[in-house]
Amino acid sequence: MEHTGADILLKTLENHGVECIFGYPGANSLPIHDSLMKSPIRHYLMRHEQAAAHAADGYARTTGRVGVCMATSGPGATNLVTGIATAFMDSTPLIALTGQVTSNLLGSDAFQETDIIGITMPITKHSFLIHDVKDLAATVQEALEIAQSGRPGPVLIDLPRDVVAARCSFNGSEEASETVWKKQEQTMDRDDLKRISQISDSLNKSERPVIIVGGGIKLAGACLELTALVEKGHIPFVTTMMGVGSVASGNGYNLGFIGTHGRDLANRIVHQSDFILALGTRFSDRTTSKVEEFAPLASIAQIDVDATSIGKIIKPDIFLISDLREALNALLPLVEEKKREEWLCRIDRERNIIQDKGNGDGCGPAGDLIKAVQNAMPENTIAVTDVGLNQIWTVRCWRTRTPRGLITSGGMGTMGFSVPAAIGAQIAAPDQHVVVFSGDGGFFMNMQELATISTYNIPVKIVVFNNGNLGMIRQIQHLFYDSRFADSELGNRVNIPAVAKGFGIASARTDAENPEEGIREMCAAQGPFLLEVMVDPDTYVFPIIPPGRSNMEMIYGRSD
């Protein structure tokens, strides 16, 4: 039986478990939207293509399954670019579908034609331009396989309008390809096992080991194996921002997240360690700060599924390219049970010294409000952050209980990410609760998605910290530009609660010092709710590491 290319595309996605697409239509994607009317796949009409990509990203980060977004050709496709790059940096499995001009117009500068394949080549795992409707099903299957296998990431499929409108025979009841899963199966060879043995030997001999946990642990589904390793070897661990949540925040071996905006204790202990086991992290500049002075006493072992992440910034003494779950399962029996009492006592002494300084979490009233929101909301709430001070406040103060309980844009640091990503998270997890923590700057970048939230009555709770400024930029200007606040003041002329009400969303305003009533009102709301929190613009986050300095050169307070 013959079907259109659009029908084949959607049926193939359906066969692979795709339940929804976040998108925005245009003339060159209309055949697909028309077919969606008879497909069980739900389409969520966003108000901007960038938000569609972030929503698909949030969906994928919540479920671990691929997220799908769609836009038309030209400006629709290019508006996806920031979302695709965000997914690429944080290894999110994403399929981006783009409409394209008809095949006979390709390369002619036709209306709304853009070389989206060329534009996105550096920020996708792979891109496909479909020339023949007969190739569609196989190409979509291959794209799904690429997006989810190894180190996950985005794949783009460019779809000329004539191809999706063309017809060919297709068995719509075809089962999903098994090659996706077969190709992910890996077996460690003799060399790999030798490296595992070397790593376990170094770990067993170490007196002051630390594990650095990156986002790869969550992507590999290796959180239980990591916890077992930590507890068997009594090994303290720190996380990157993307690694937060791999083990519950309350785990006693958790020293917090490391790096520029990280915890004092985490930075200090890594500096004193004699062996580092890095799992699923590429050692970004935010993690290491000054590379030459990073962990000067430690030998380093690195395990990652992505060969390009090995030695990119820090050269390890031992490395293993492997699925992390498989690697930890091989490593665990070789690791000795070792109390390491002296090392753990030393860490406790450092912890006490830091606590005596009275810096607390370094987040001030904003951090207290985040904790109060968490206490007031159900335990299964997912927190989604934007980028800026709100992100650091949340990552430091939100106590993650599950690996996917905190969603943030780590590598790309994309402002405007939080609201659309929360839409995707809430649709992915309708039985859970979702709360957004955003700054006013990030909120303004995608606040049009309040219309999407209102239209579909998506019950996300949105906390907007309003300090009238780009807070993180203001802090940097205060500390390193002699308080010359060039172009970082946004002002307070916009009535954000009124904006929310204009979109049909209930809202309230409170201040960070006295937020109880506002939090109660937000948590009592049955549908979506926006809570604006007024924050002193001089509320910063400490400690912070200056650019070009080592992780031990933290600044603990204002310069005046």
Side-chain angles (χ1 to χ4, degrees), residues 182-306:
K182 285 180 180 176
K183 285 193 175 182
Q184 289 187 62
E185 292 175 1
Q186 299 176 2
T187 302
M188 301 186 84
D189 60 21
R190 182 176 298 178
D191 288 341
D192 293 336
L193 294 174
K194 183 179 178 182
R195 291 171 190 266
I196 284 286
S197 178
Q198 291 172 336
I199 292 170
S200 65
D201 285 347
S202 297
L203 187 55
N204 291 333
K205 291 174 184 173
S206 168
E207 296 297 327
R208 303 188 306 280
V210 172
I211 298 174
I212 298 181
V213 180
I217 285 289
K218 288 187 280 188
L219 295 171
C223 297
L224 293 178
E225 289 76 8
L226 171 64
T227 304
L229 176 65
V230 164
E231 294 180 350
K232 182 178 183 182
H234 299 271
I235 307 165
F237 68 94
V238 302
T239 72
T240 66
M241 183 175 285
M242 295 309 299
V244 171
S246 301
V247 179
S249 296
N251 185 291
Y253 296 98
N254 188 354
L255 307 182
F257 88 98
I258 186 178
T260 306
H261 296 282
R263 292 282 190 176
D264 189 342
L265 183 63
N267 284 324
R268 285 176 176 274
I269 296 308
V270 167
H271 193 79
Q272 297 174 40
S273 66
D274 65 0
F275 177 73
I276 288 174
L277 175 57
L279 302 173
T281 175
R282 67 183 189 280
F283 290 105
S284 78
D285 54 319
R286 263 196 162 189
T287 296
T288 63
S289 299
K290 191 174 184 179
V291 171
E292 305 82 57
E293 297 182 21
F294 179 76
L297 307 176
S299 60
I300 295 176
Q302 183 180 7
I303 305 177
D304 201 291
V305 72
D306 179 11

Side-chain angles (χ1 to χ4, degrees), residues 38-58:
K38 56 189 177 186
S39 168
I41 295 177
R42 292 163 288 153
H43 179 266
Y44 288 91
L45 176 60
M46 307 296 289
R47 298 304 188 265
H48 194 289
E49 292 90 346
Q50 180 188 336
H54 291 326
D57 190 330

Side-chain angles (χ1 to χ4, degrees), residues 363-373 393 463-467 509-519 531-537 539:
C363 300
D368 295 337
L369 181 136
I370 290 167
K371 294 172 193 170
V373 169
W393 291 334
V463 176
V464 180
F465 291 109
N466 186 356
N467 57 9
R509 174 180 291 148
T510 187
D511 62 75
E513 284 78 12
N514 301 289
E516 293 79 10
E517 185 175 342
I519 292 174
L531 180 64
E532 182 189 37
V533 180
M534 306 309 293
V535 182
D536 185 329
T539 299

Side-chain angles (χ1 to χ4, degrees), residues 56-125:
D57 190 330
Y59 179 95
R61 294 189 201 219
T62 302
T63 61
R65 305 196 302 270
V66 66
V68 182
C69 59
M70 181 167 64
T72 189
S73 61
T78 56
N79 280 344
L80 290 177
V81 168
T82 297
I84 294 172
T86 302
F88 183 76
M89 290 292 283
D90 289 347
S91 308
T92 304
L94 189 81
I95 298 293
L97 305 172
T98 49
Q100 185 55 277
V101 299
T102 54
S103 301
N104 63 317
L105 293 177
L106 286 170
S108 68
D109 290 339
F111 176 68
Q112 290 195 333
E113 182 196 5
T114 297
D115 177 14
I116 194 62
I117 298 285
I119 290 171
T120 58
M121 192 171 291
I123 55 170
T124 54
K125 288 185 74 177

